[in-house]
PDB file of all heavy atoms in Angstrom:
ATOM      1  N   ALA A 286       6.059  -3.050  -3.255  1.00 97.00           N
ATOM      2  CA  ALA A 286       6.941  -2.055  -3.948  1.00 97.00           C
ATOM      3  C   ALA A 286       6.761  -2.224  -5.435  1.00 97.00           C
ATOM      4  O   ALA A 286       6.795  -1.221  -6.184  1.00 97.00           O
ATOM      5  CB  ALA A 286       8.406  -2.299  -3.535  1.00 97.00           C
ATOM      6  N   THR A 287       6.570  -3.478  -5.986  1.00 98.00           N
ATOM      7  CA  THR A 287       6.434  -3.653  -7.393  1.00 98.00           C
ATOM      8  C   THR A 287       5.174  -3.101  -7.903  1.00 98.00           C
ATOM      9  O   THR A 287       5.070  -2.407  -8.943  1.00 98.00           O
ATOM     10  CB  THR A 287       6.459  -5.197  -7.719  1.00 98.00           C
ATOM     11  OG1 THR A 287       7.658  -5.799  -7.151  1.00 98.00           O
ATOM     12  CG2 THR A 287       6.324  -5.468  -9.239  1.00 98.00           C
ATOM     13  N   ILE A 288       4.091  -3.183  -7.102  1.00 98.00           N
ATOM     14  CA  ILE A 288       2.801  -2.557  -7.531  1.00 98.00           C
ATOM     15  C   ILE A 288       2.863  -1.093  -7.481  1.00 98.00           C
ATOM     16  O   ILE A 288       2.373  -0.482  -8.371  1.00 98.00           O
ATOM     17  CB  ILE A 288       1.673  -3.170  -6.599  1.00 98.00           C
ATOM     18  CG1 ILE A 288       1.431  -4.673  -6.830  1.00 98.00           C
ATOM     19  CG2 ILE A 288       0.326  -2.468  -6.903  1.00 98.00           C
ATOM     20  CD1 ILE A 288       0.546  -5.346  -5.838  1.00 98.00           C
ATOM     21  N   ARG A 289       3.412  -0.579  -6.343  1.00 97.00           N
ATOM     22  CA  ARG A 289       3.479   0.885  -6.264  1.00 97.00           C
ATOM     23  C   ARG A 289       4.338   1.560  -7.350  1.00 97.00           C
ATOM     24  O   ARG A 289       4.132   2.765  -7.632  1.00 97.00           O
ATOM     25  CB  ARG A 289       4.002   1.265  -4.875  1.00 97.00           C
ATOM     26  CG  ARG A 289       3.124   0.833  -3.785  1.00 97.00           C
ATOM     27  CD  ARG A 289       3.536   1.415  -2.420  1.00 97.00           C
ATOM     28  NE  ARG A 289       3.020   2.826  -2.367  1.00 97.00           N
ATOM     29  CZ  ARG A 289       3.607   3.742  -1.537  1.00 97.00           C
ATOM     30  NH1 ARG A 289       4.622   3.402  -0.743  1.00 97.00           N
ATOM     31  NH2 ARG A 289       3.112   4.953  -1.370  1.00 97.00           N
ATOM     32  N   ALA A 290       5.196   0.906  -7.958  1.00 97.00           N
ATOM     33  CA  ALA A 290       5.933   1.486  -9.078  1.00 97.00           C
ATOM     34  C   ALA A 290       5.017   1.831 -10.211  1.00 97.00           C
ATOM     35  O   ALA A 290       5.367   2.802 -11.016  1.00 97.00           O
ATOM     36  CB  ALA A 290       7.070   0.486  -9.487  1.00 97.00           C
ATOM     37  N   GLU A 291       3.877   1.157 -10.271  1.00 97.00           N
ATOM     38  CA  GLU A 291       2.904   1.405 -11.413  1.00 97.00           C
ATOM     39  C   GLU A 291       1.632   2.131 -10.880  1.00 97.00           C
ATOM     40  O   GLU A 291       1.022   2.941 -11.579  1.00 97.00           O
ATOM     41  CB  GLU A 291       2.532   0.051 -12.046  1.00 97.00           C
ATOM     42  CG  GLU A 291       3.654  -0.706 -12.760  1.00 97.00           C
ATOM     43  CD  GLU A 291       3.978   0.005 -14.044  1.00 97.00           C
ATOM     44  OE1 GLU A 291       3.214   0.664 -14.631  1.00 97.00           O
ATOM     45  OE2 GLU A 291       5.212  -0.271 -14.516  1.00 97.00           O
ATOM     46  N   PHE A 292       1.217   1.809  -9.651  1.00 97.00           N
ATOM     47  CA  PHE A 292       0.023   2.342  -9.088  1.00 97.00           C
ATOM     48  C   PHE A 292       0.269   2.939  -7.795  1.00 97.00           C
ATOM     49  O   PHE A 292       0.003   2.384  -6.675  1.00 97.00           O
ATOM     50  CB  PHE A 292      -1.095   1.255  -9.029  1.00 97.00           C
ATOM     51  CG  PHE A 292      -1.439   0.676 -10.314  1.00 97.00           C
ATOM     52  CD1 PHE A 292      -0.848  -0.419 -10.770  1.00 97.00           C
ATOM     53  CD2 PHE A 292      -2.332   1.298 -11.180  1.00 97.00           C
ATOM     54  CE1 PHE A 292      -1.253  -1.014 -12.049  1.00 97.00           C
ATOM     55  CE2 PHE A 292      -2.743   0.838 -12.348  1.00 97.00           C
ATOM     56  CZ  PHE A 292      -2.244  -0.313 -12.911  1.00 97.00           C
ATOM     57  N   PRO A 293       1.018   4.064  -7.623  1.00 96.00           N
ATOM     58  CA  PRO A 293       1.516   4.600  -6.356  1.00 96.00           C
ATOM     59  C   PRO A 293       0.355   5.071  -5.414  1.00 96.00           C
ATOM     60  O   PRO A 293       0.587   5.113  -4.225  1.00 96.00           O
ATOM     61  CB  PRO A 293       2.346   5.778  -6.812  1.00 96.00           C
ATOM     62  CG  PRO A 293       1.842   6.157  -8.117  1.00 96.00           C
ATOM     63  CD  PRO A 293       1.417   4.885  -8.828  1.00 96.00           C
ATOM     64  N   ASP A 294      -0.778   5.330  -5.891  1.00 95.00           N
ATOM     65  CA  ASP A 294      -1.870   5.868  -5.042  1.00 95.00           C
ATOM     66  C   ASP A 294      -2.974   4.819  -4.649  1.00 95.00           C
ATOM     67  O   ASP A 294      -3.915   5.161  -4.003  1.00 95.00           O
ATOM     68  CB  ASP A 294      -2.538   7.095  -5.840  1.00 95.00           C
ATOM     69  CG  ASP A 294      -1.581   8.252  -5.988  1.00 95.00           C
ATOM     70  OD1 ASP A 294      -0.768   8.491  -5.205  1.00 95.00           O
ATOM     71  OD2 ASP A 294      -1.681   8.733  -7.130  1.00 95.00           O
ATOM     72  N   ASP A 295      -2.735   3.605  -5.145  1.00 97.00           N
ATOM     73  CA  ASP A 295      -3.748   2.545  -4.819  1.00 97.00           C
ATOM     74  C   ASP A 295      -3.669   2.139  -3.338  1.00 97.00           C
ATOM     75  O   ASP A 295      -2.652   2.266  -2.695  1.00 97.00           O
ATOM     76  CB  ASP A 295      -3.591   1.340  -5.743  1.00 97.00           C
ATOM     77  CG  ASP A 295      -4.136   1.631  -7.081  1.00 97.00           C
ATOM     78  OD1 ASP A 295      -4.604   2.758  -7.366  1.00 97.00           O
ATOM     79  OD2 ASP A 295      -4.123   0.647  -7.882  1.00 97.00           O
ATOM     80  N   ARG A 296      -4.770   1.488  -2.807  1.00 97.00           N
ATOM     81  CA  ARG A 296      -4.748   1.032  -1.476  1.00 97.00           C
ATOM     82  C   ARG A 296      -4.365  -0.516  -1.449  1.00 97.00           C
ATOM     83  O   ARG A 296      -4.423  -1.165  -2.451  1.00 97.00           O
ATOM     84  CB  ARG A 296      -6.215   1.194  -0.895  1.00 97.00           C
ATOM     85  CG  ARG A 296      -6.498   2.709  -0.683  1.00 97.00           C
ATOM     86  CD  ARG A 296      -7.983   2.867  -0.402  1.00 97.00           C
ATOM     87  NE  ARG A 296      -8.765   2.679  -1.579  1.00 97.00           N
ATOM     88  CZ  ARG A 296     -10.103   2.830  -1.648  1.00 97.00           C
ATOM     89  NH1 ARG A 296     -10.795   3.094  -0.575  1.00 97.00           N
ATOM     90  NH2 ARG A 296     -10.684   2.579  -2.781  1.00 97.00           N
ATOM     91  N   PHE A 297      -4.169  -0.887  -0.227  1.00 98.00           N
ATOM     92  CA  PHE A 297      -3.621  -2.269  -0.041  1.00 98.00           C
ATOM     93  C   PHE A 297      -4.344  -2.901   1.116  1.00 98.00           C
ATOM     94  O   PHE A 297      -4.533  -2.279   2.195  1.00 98.00           O
ATOM     95  CB  PHE A 297      -2.147  -2.332   0.245  1.00 98.00           C
ATOM     96  CG  PHE A 297      -1.377  -2.034  -0.988  1.00 98.00           C
ATOM     97  CD1 PHE A 297      -0.997  -0.731  -1.280  1.00 98.00           C
ATOM     98  CD2 PHE A 297      -0.908  -2.901  -1.841  1.00 98.00           C
ATOM     99  CE1 PHE A 297      -0.287  -0.370  -2.399  1.00 98.00           C
ATOM    100  CE2 PHE A 297      -0.023  -2.667  -2.954  1.00 98.00           C
ATOM    101  CZ  PHE A 297       0.127  -1.351  -3.207  1.00 98.00           C
ATOM    102  N   LEU A 298      -4.673  -4.243   0.923  1.00 98.00           N
ATOM    103  CA  LEU A 298      -5.180  -5.079   2.024  1.00 98.00           C
ATOM    104  C   LEU A 298      -4.339  -6.249   2.058  1.00 98.00           C
ATOM    105  O   LEU A 298      -4.319  -7.074   1.119  1.00 98.00           O
ATOM    106  CB  LEU A 298      -6.680  -5.472   1.718  1.00 98.00           C
ATOM    107  CG  LEU A 298      -7.300  -6.388   2.771  1.00 98.00           C
ATOM    108  CD1 LEU A 298      -7.287  -5.964   4.173  1.00 98.00           C
ATOM    109  CD2 LEU A 298      -8.779  -6.709   2.277  1.00 98.00           C
ATOM    110  N   CYS A 299      -3.496  -6.388   3.055  1.00 97.00           N
ATOM    111  CA  CYS A 299      -2.464  -7.369   3.092  1.00 97.00           C
ATOM    112  C   CYS A 299      -2.540  -8.208   4.403  1.00 97.00           C
ATOM    113  O   CYS A 299      -3.009  -7.725   5.445  1.00 97.00           O
ATOM    114  CB  CYS A 299      -1.071  -6.795   3.109  1.00 97.00           C
ATOM    115  SG  CYS A 299      -0.806  -5.749   1.704  1.00 97.00           S
ATOM    116  N   GLU A 300      -2.033  -9.511   4.357  1.00 94.00           N
ATOM    117  CA  GLU A 300      -2.094 -10.385   5.513  1.00 94.00           C
ATOM    118  C   GLU A 300      -1.126  -9.772   6.608  1.00 94.00           C
ATOM    119  O   GLU A 300      -1.506  -9.869   7.813  1.00 94.00           O
ATOM    120  CB  GLU A 300      -1.705 -11.773   5.157  1.00 94.00           C
ATOM    121  CG  GLU A 300      -1.702 -12.629   6.450  1.00 94.00           C
ATOM    122  CD  GLU A 300      -1.703 -14.105   6.246  1.00 94.00           C
ATOM    123  OE1 GLU A 300      -1.343 -14.503   5.092  1.00 94.00           O
ATOM    124  OE2 GLU A 300      -2.008 -14.808   7.113  1.00 94.00           O
ATOM    125  N   GLU A 301      -0.002  -9.306   6.250  1.00 93.00           N
ATOM    126  CA  GLU A 301       0.996  -8.975   7.236  1.00 93.00           C
ATOM    127  C   GLU A 301       1.092  -7.369   7.307  1.00 93.00           C
ATOM    128  O   GLU A 301       0.464  -6.736   6.519  1.00 93.00           O
ATOM    129  CB  GLU A 301       2.423  -9.536   6.818  1.00 93.00           C
ATOM    130  CG  GLU A 301       2.463 -10.951   6.497  1.00 93.00           C
ATOM    131  CD  GLU A 301       1.785 -11.855   7.578  1.00 93.00           C
ATOM    132  OE1 GLU A 301       1.763 -11.432   8.702  1.00 93.00           O
ATOM    133  OE2 GLU A 301       1.504 -12.973   7.152  1.00 93.00           O
ATOM    134  N   ASP A 302       1.764  -6.943   8.302  1.00 86.00           N
ATOM    135  CA  ASP A 302       1.942  -5.492   8.524  1.00 86.00           C
ATOM    136  C   ASP A 302       2.465  -4.859   7.311  1.00 86.00           C
ATOM    137  O   ASP A 302       3.424  -5.456   6.609  1.00 86.00           O
ATOM    138  CB  ASP A 302       2.887  -5.268   9.719  1.00 86.00           C
ATOM    139  CG  ASP A 302       3.181  -3.776   9.958  1.00 86.00           C
ATOM    140  OD1 ASP A 302       2.232  -3.068  10.371  1.00 86.00           O
ATOM    141  OD2 ASP A 302       4.364  -3.334   9.616  1.00 86.00           O
ATOM    142  N   LEU A 303       1.920  -3.619   7.001  1.00 82.00           N
ATOM    143  CA  LEU A 303       2.325  -3.011   5.717  1.00 82.00           C
ATOM    144  C   LEU A 303       3.545  -2.142   5.782  1.00 82.00           C
ATOM    145  O   LEU A 303       3.856  -1.399   4.736  1.00 82.00           O
ATOM    146  CB  LEU A 303       1.067  -2.264   5.229  1.00 82.00           C
ATOM    147  CG  LEU A 303       1.048  -1.872   3.754  1.00 82.00           C
ATOM    148  CD1 LEU A 303       1.234  -3.105   2.843  1.00 82.00           C
ATOM    149  CD2 LEU A 303      -0.294  -1.238   3.400  1.00 82.00           C
ATOM    150  N   SER A 304       4.231  -2.032   6.916  1.00 68.00           N
ATOM    151  CA  SER A 304       5.285  -1.136   6.994  1.00 68.00           C
ATOM    152  C   SER A 304       6.369  -1.442   5.911  1.00 68.00           C
ATOM    153  O   SER A 304       6.701  -2.615   5.647  1.00 68.00           O
ATOM    154  CB  SER A 304       6.016  -1.318   8.335  1.00 68.00           C
ATOM    155  OG  SER A 304       7.181  -0.601   8.443  1.00 68.00           O
ATOM    156  N   THR A 305       6.993  -0.396   5.359  1.00 54.00           N
ATOM    157  CA  THR A 305       8.031  -0.538   4.329  1.00 54.00           C
ATOM    158  C   THR A 305       9.380  -0.494   4.876  1.00 54.00           C
ATOM    159  O   THR A 305      10.351  -0.484   4.094  1.00 54.00           O
ATOM    160  CB  THR A 305       7.821   0.530   3.266  1.00 54.00           C
ATOM    161  OG1 THR A 305       7.890   1.801   3.849  1.00 54.00           O
ATOM    162  CG2 THR A 305       6.505   0.327   2.512  1.00 54.00           C
ATOM    163  N   ARG A 306       9.506  -0.404   6.211  1.00 53.00           N
ATOM    164  CA  ARG A 306      10.904  -0.189   6.869  1.00 53.00           C
ATOM    165  C   ARG A 306      11.464   1.144   6.284  1.00 53.00           C
ATOM    166  O   ARG A 306      10.803   2.101   5.971  1.00 53.00           O
ATOM    167  CB  ARG A 306      11.825  -1.324   6.440  1.00 53.00           C
ATOM    168  CG  ARG A 306      11.548  -2.595   7.132  1.00 53.00           C
ATOM    169  CD  ARG A 306      12.566  -3.584   6.665  1.00 53.00           C
ATOM    170  NE  ARG A 306      12.536  -4.851   7.437  1.00 53.00           N
ATOM    171  CZ  ARG A 306      13.202  -5.971   7.268  1.00 53.00           C
ATOM    172  NH1 ARG A 306      14.085  -5.845   6.130  1.00 53.00           N
ATOM    173  NH2 ARG A 306      13.130  -6.978   7.909  1.00 53.00           N
ATOM    174  N   ALA A 307      12.774   1.194   6.361  1.00 43.00           N
ATOM    175  CA  ALA A 307      13.434   2.365   5.826  1.00 43.00           C
ATOM    176  C   ALA A 307      13.579   2.233   4.301  1.00 43.00           C
ATOM    177  O   ALA A 307      13.307   1.306   3.667  1.00 43.00           O
ATOM    178  CB  ALA A 307      14.797   2.503   6.540  1.00 43.00           C
ATOM    179  N   GLY A 308      14.137   3.407   3.696  1.00 45.00           N
ATOM    180  CA  GLY A 308      14.236   3.405   2.304  1.00 45.00           C
ATOM    181  C   GLY A 308      13.454   4.442   1.619  1.00 45.00           C
ATOM    182  O   GLY A 308      12.751   5.307   2.212  1.00 45.00           O
ATOM    183  N   PRO A 309      13.360   4.470   0.221  1.00 49.00           N
ATOM    184  CA  PRO A 309      12.732   5.520  -0.511  1.00 49.00           C
ATOM    185  C   PRO A 309      11.194   5.571  -0.236  1.00 49.00           C
ATOM    186  O   PRO A 309      10.622   6.555  -0.511  1.00 49.00           O
ATOM    187  CB  PRO A 309      13.105   5.181  -1.958  1.00 49.00           C
ATOM    188  CG  PRO A 309      13.412   3.623  -1.942  1.00 49.00           C
ATOM    189  CD  PRO A 309      14.081   3.505  -0.608  1.00 49.00           C
ATOM    190  N   GLU A 310      10.592   4.364   0.174  1.00 51.00           N
ATOM    191  CA  GLU A 310       9.195   4.438   0.393  1.00 51.00           C
ATOM    192  C   GLU A 310       8.764   4.871   1.782  1.00 51.00           C
ATOM    193  O   GLU A 310       7.641   5.043   2.032  1.00 51.00           O
ATOM    194  CB  GLU A 310       8.631   2.985   0.176  1.00 51.00           C
ATOM    195  CG  GLU A 310       8.684   2.539  -1.280  1.00 51.00           C
ATOM    196  CD  GLU A 310       7.836   3.224  -2.271  1.00 51.00           C
ATOM    197  OE1 GLU A 310       6.798   3.769  -1.764  1.00 51.00           O
ATOM    198  OE2 GLU A 310       8.129   3.322  -3.318  1.00 51.00           O
ATOM    199  N   ALA A 311       9.776   4.855   2.777  1.00 50.00           N
ATOM    200  CA  ALA A 311       9.410   5.165   4.083  1.00 50.00           C
ATOM    201  C   ALA A 311       8.736   6.510   4.378  1.00 50.00           C
ATOM    202  O   ALA A 311       8.009   6.583   5.397  1.00 50.00           O
ATOM    203  CB  ALA A 311      10.741   5.059   4.991  1.00 50.00           C
ATOM    204  N   ASP A 312       8.940   7.452   3.565  1.00 54.00           N
ATOM    205  CA  ASP A 312       8.352   8.793   3.814  1.00 54.00           C
ATOM    206  C   ASP A 312       7.003   8.833   3.315  1.00 54.00           C
ATOM    207  O   ASP A 312       6.315   9.890   3.512  1.00 54.00           O
ATOM    208  CB  ASP A 312       9.232   9.857   3.170  1.00 54.00           C
ATOM    209  CG  ASP A 312       9.372   9.740   1.606  1.00 54.00           C
ATOM    210  OD1 ASP A 312       9.092   8.652   1.149  1.00 54.00           O
ATOM    211  OD2 ASP A 312       9.845  10.676   1.019  1.00 54.00           O
ATOM    212  N   ARG A 313       6.565   7.800   2.589  1.00 72.00           N
ATOM    213  CA  ARG A 313       5.178   7.757   2.119  1.00 72.00           C
ATOM    214  C   ARG A 313       4.596   6.356   2.095  1.00 72.00           C
ATOM    215  O   ARG A 313       4.692   5.693   1.207  1.00 72.00           O
ATOM    216  CB  ARG A 313       5.044   8.386   0.699  1.00 72.00           C
ATOM    217  CG  ARG A 313       3.688   8.534   0.130  1.00 72.00           C
ATOM    218  CD  ARG A 313       3.678   9.366  -1.085  1.00 72.00           C
ATOM    219  NE  ARG A 313       2.356   9.494  -1.643  1.00 72.00           N
ATOM    220  CZ  ARG A 313       1.759   8.607  -2.483  1.00 72.00           C
ATOM    221  NH1 ARG A 313       2.408   7.572  -2.849  1.00 72.00           N
ATOM    222  NH2 ARG A 313       0.517   8.753  -2.847  1.00 72.00           N
ATOM    223  N   GLU A 314       4.139   5.963   3.265  1.00 81.00           N
ATOM    224  CA  GLU A 314       3.697   4.572   3.488  1.00 81.00           C
ATOM    225  C   GLU A 314       2.434   4.330   2.613  1.00 81.00           C
ATOM    226  O   GLU A 314       1.639   5.167   2.347  1.00 81.00           O
ATOM    227  CB  GLU A 314       3.313   4.390   4.940  1.00 81.00           C
ATOM    228  CG  GLU A 314       4.435   4.489   5.928  1.00 81.00           C
ATOM    229  CD  GLU A 314       5.304   3.217   5.764  1.00 81.00           C
ATOM    230  OE1 GLU A 314       4.918   2.271   5.111  1.00 81.00           O
ATOM    231  OE2 GLU A 314       6.446   3.284   6.354  1.00 81.00           O
ATOM    232  N   PRO A 315       2.262   3.117   2.085  1.00 91.00           N
ATOM    233  CA  PRO A 315       1.100   2.739   1.363  1.00 91.00           C
ATOM    234  C   PRO A 315      -0.158   2.920   2.190  1.00 91.00           C
ATOM    235  O   PRO A 315      -0.062   2.847   3.421  1.00 91.00           O
ATOM    236  CB  PRO A 315       1.282   1.237   0.980  1.00 91.00           C
ATOM    237  CG  PRO A 315       2.709   0.924   1.245  1.00 91.00           C
ATOM    238  CD  PRO A 315       3.194   1.972   2.294  1.00 91.00           C
ATOM    239  N   GLU A 316      -1.301   3.196   1.611  1.00 93.00           N
ATOM    240  CA  GLU A 316      -2.587   3.315   2.354  1.00 93.00           C
ATOM    241  C   GLU A 316      -3.116   1.889   2.469  1.00 93.00           C
ATOM    242  O   GLU A 316      -3.439   1.259   1.560  1.00 93.00           O
ATOM    243  CB  GLU A 316      -3.549   4.188   1.526  1.00 93.00           C
ATOM    244  CG  GLU A 316      -4.878   4.372   2.305  1.00 93.00           C
ATOM    245  CD  GLU A 316      -5.864   5.176   1.573  1.00 93.00           C
ATOM    246  OE1 GLU A 316      -5.517   5.769   0.508  1.00 93.00           O
ATOM    247  OE2 GLU A 316      -7.096   5.295   2.063  1.00 93.00           O
ATOM    248  N   ALA A 317      -3.220   1.566   3.776  1.00 94.00           N
ATOM    249  CA  ALA A 317      -3.745   0.215   4.219  1.00 94.00           C
ATOM    250  C   ALA A 317      -5.204   0.333   4.574  1.00 94.00           C
ATOM    251  O   ALA A 317      -5.632   1.321   5.229  1.00 94.00           O
ATOM    252  CB  ALA A 317      -2.951  -0.348   5.362  1.00 94.00           C
ATOM    253  N   VAL A 318      -6.026  -0.618   4.238  1.00 95.00           N
ATOM    254  CA  VAL A 318      -7.463  -0.787   4.620  1.00 95.00           C
ATOM    255  C   VAL A 318      -7.558  -2.166   5.260  1.00 95.00           C
ATOM    256  O   VAL A 318      -6.725  -3.054   5.199  1.00 95.00           O
ATOM    257  CB  VAL A 318      -8.319  -0.636   3.391  1.00 95.00           C
ATOM    258  CG1 VAL A 318      -8.219   0.784   2.802  1.00 95.00           C
ATOM    259  CG2 VAL A 318      -8.139  -1.728   2.394  1.00 95.00           C
ATOM    260  N   ASP A 319      -8.646  -2.335   6.020  1.00 93.00           N
ATOM    261  CA  ASP A 319      -8.933  -3.595   6.730  1.00 93.00           C
ATOM    262  C   ASP A 319     -10.148  -4.322   6.172  1.00 93.00           C
ATOM    263  O   ASP A 319     -10.538  -5.296   6.719  1.00 93.00           O
ATOM    264  CB  ASP A 319      -9.099  -3.335   8.199  1.00 93.00           C
ATOM    265  CG  ASP A 319     -10.212  -2.403   8.553  1.00 93.00           C
ATOM    266  OD1 ASP A 319     -10.982  -2.027   7.662  1.00 93.00           O
ATOM    267  OD2 ASP A 319     -10.236  -1.919   9.711  1.00 93.00           O
ATOM    268  N   SER A 320     -10.681  -3.834   5.009  1.00 95.00           N
ATOM    269  CA  SER A 320     -11.748  -4.521   4.402  1.00 95.00           C
ATOM    270  C   SER A 320     -11.720  -4.096   2.957  1.00 95.00           C
ATOM    271  O   SER A 320     -11.113  -3.193   2.531  1.00 95.00           O
ATOM    272  CB  SER A 320     -13.137  -4.201   5.059  1.00 95.00           C
ATOM    273  OG  SER A 320     -13.440  -2.830   4.971  1.00 95.00           O
ATOM    274  N   VAL A 321     -12.594  -4.785   2.196  1.00 97.00           N
ATOM    275  CA  VAL A 321     -12.635  -4.457   0.683  1.00 97.00           C
ATOM    276  C   VAL A 321     -13.696  -3.407   0.505  1.00 97.00           C
ATOM    277  O   VAL A 321     -14.889  -3.565   0.744  1.00 97.00           O
ATOM    278  CB  VAL A 321     -13.051  -5.743  -0.055  1.00 97.00           C
ATOM    279  CG1 VAL A 321     -13.242  -5.451  -1.570  1.00 97.00           C
ATOM    280  CG2 VAL A 321     -12.055  -6.909   0.142  1.00 97.00           C
ATOM    281  N   PRO A 322     -13.276  -2.238  -0.012  1.00 96.00           N
ATOM    282  CA  PRO A 322     -14.201  -1.121  -0.256  1.00 96.00           C
ATOM    283  C   PRO A 322     -15.035  -1.350  -1.530  1.00 96.00           C
ATOM    284  O   PRO A 322     -14.733  -2.133  -2.339  1.00 96.00           O
ATOM    285  CB  PRO A 322     -13.307   0.074  -0.416  1.00 96.00           C
ATOM    286  CG  PRO A 322     -11.969  -0.474  -0.957  1.00 96.00           C
ATOM    287  CD  PRO A 322     -11.932  -1.902  -0.321  1.00 96.00           C
ATOM    288  N   ASP A 323     -16.152  -0.688  -1.510  1.00 95.00           N
ATOM    289  CA  ASP A 323     -17.127  -0.840  -2.687  1.00 95.00           C
ATOM    290  C   ASP A 323     -16.789  -0.052  -3.865  1.00 95.00           C
ATOM    291  O   ASP A 323     -17.143  -0.379  -4.929  1.00 95.00           O
ATOM    292  CB  ASP A 323     -18.531  -0.442  -2.235  1.00 95.00           C
ATOM    293  CG  ASP A 323     -19.173  -1.375  -1.185  1.00 95.00           C
ATOM    294  OD1 ASP A 323     -18.773  -2.602  -1.241  1.00 95.00           O
ATOM    295  OD2 ASP A 323     -20.008  -0.984  -0.490  1.00 95.00           O
ATOM    296  N   SER A 324     -15.821   0.923  -3.763  1.00 96.00           N
ATOM    297  CA  SER A 324     -15.384   1.750  -4.787  1.00 96.00           C
ATOM    298  C   SER A 324     -13.870   1.882  -4.809  1.00 96.00           C
ATOM    299  O   SER A 324     -13.223   1.802  -3.689  1.00 96.00           O
ATOM    300  CB  SER A 324     -16.075   3.065  -4.778  1.00 96.00           C
ATOM    301  OG  SER A 324     -15.736   3.786  -3.612  1.00 96.00           O
ATOM    302  N   GLY A 325     -13.275   2.353  -5.848  1.00 96.00           N
ATOM    303  CA  GLY A 325     -11.806   2.573  -5.948  1.00 96.00           C
ATOM    304  C   GLY A 325     -11.004   1.300  -6.205  1.00 96.00           C
ATOM    305  O   GLY A 325     -11.523   0.235  -6.463  1.00 96.00           O
TER     306      GLY A 325
END
């Protein structure tokens, strides 16, 4: 949530499930990836 306040369109690679539960972010989940992309 802290990162998305500044970079709302960036992707995330996280150890745990990326669900934001309910709340203001729930209608637009972060974009999750399963590996490090070469670009972006």
Side-chain angles (χ1 to χ4, degrees):
T287 302
I288 293 168
R289 294 191 78 201
E291 297 285 338
F292 298 98
D294 298 321
D295 282 5
R296 292 167 288 181
F297 291 84
L298 176 58
C299 303
E300 180 169 15
E301 312 306 340
D302 177 69
L303 198 52
S304 170
T305 57
R306 287 180 171 173
E310 295 288 337
D312 60 346
R313 186 171 180 269
E314 295 287 348
E316 182 180 352
V318 298
D319 58 11
S320 62
V321 178
D323 292 332
S324 61

